[in-house]
Amino acid sequence: MGIATLQRNFAGREELVAAVFTPRVRAYADAADRALEEPDPWVGFCGYIEHVAALQCEDQGLAVVLNTTFPASAELEAHRRRAMRGFTRLVRRAKEAGALRPDFSPHDLPLLLLANAGVVMGSGSDADKASRRLIAFILRACAVADDEPLPTGPPARSLLRSLDPPLPPTSRR
């Protein structure tokens, strides 16, 4: 497909990205719904985190999209919000079951996604193995077995802001 065809069919980069990635973000949200069907809340929580990490390994473009907001794409953002609502329920269920450490927050998800995306993008052909190991470390750290409190993280608003698309170089001052 040529650049002229892209320009005729899409108003800009964000519209193109939304067209390509909305089905993948929908699958990301669907995975949260499936994880909520798991009878064991800890298994559902872990399964979801592992699945999302695998999605990032399979598609590095998706790894970037999951760490960026697209305010102009209502459908893509609706799927992202649905995924977050599902993840919030997963967190609540796992805490209520006594399996997830009490200081874990649903707003820690961007940290997990950013960490895994960095590992995926930086580990080349070993991305899958490196990602699985990172996620195993993270999940063990999330388990209730360790009762030492986590250090305070950045405010949730700051983490969510990290998902905003970067400003073009000419707009920075």
Side-chain angles (χ1 to χ4, degrees):
M1 182 179 306
I3 194 76
T5 302
L6 288 173
Q7 290 173 338
R8 273 194 310 275
N9 290 292
F10 299 100
R13 177 185 175 273
E14 191 168 317
E15 191 176 304
L16 173 62
V17 169
V20 170
F21 287 100
T22 294
R24 294 178 180 134
V25 176
R26 181 184 309 116
Y28 162 69
D30 291 345
D33 294 338
R34 283 191 308 279
L36 285 164
E37 295 171 1
E38 170 59 50
D40 182 322
W42 179 246
V43 171
F45 175 84
C46 291
Y48 181 70
I49 298 294
E50 291 166 344
H51 181 74
V52 171
L55 288 175
Q56 288 183 303
C57 284
E58 292 167 12
D59 185 340
Q60 288 190 12
L62 180 63
V64 172
V65 167
L66 290 180
N67 291 312
T68 309
T69 58
F70 293 91
S73 176
E75 185 181 5
L76 189 146
E77 289 303 314
H79 291 306
R80 183 193 308 282
R81 285 189 303 277
R82 182 168 61 93
M84 189 59 169
R85 285 190 305 271
F87 184 68
T88 299
R89 289 194 310 268
L90 283 169
V91 167
R92 186 177 57 245
R93 285 181 62 218
K95 283 182 178 184
E96 288 170 355
L100 181 61
R101 55 183 310 129
D103 54 354
F104 185 90
S105 166
H107 297 292
D108 289 327
L109 184 59
L111 284 175
L112 300 178
L113 294 175
L114 286 165
N116 191 60
V119 165
V120 167
M121 291 177 194
S123 54
S125 63
D126 291 323
D128 185 52
K129 288 179 181 178
S131 172
R132 282 193 315 241
R133 185 162 174 86
L134 171 70
I135 295 305
F137 278 129
I138 289 172
L139 290 175
R140 283 174 181 80
C142 290
V144 144
D146 179 5
D147 62 356
E148 178 140 349
L150 295 171
T152 304
R157 180 173 269 151
S158 173
L159 285 173
L160 294 175
R161 215 175 304 123
S162 72
L163 301 178
D164 290 337
L167 295 174
T170 58
S171 300
R172 293 186 181 150
R173 294 201 180 224

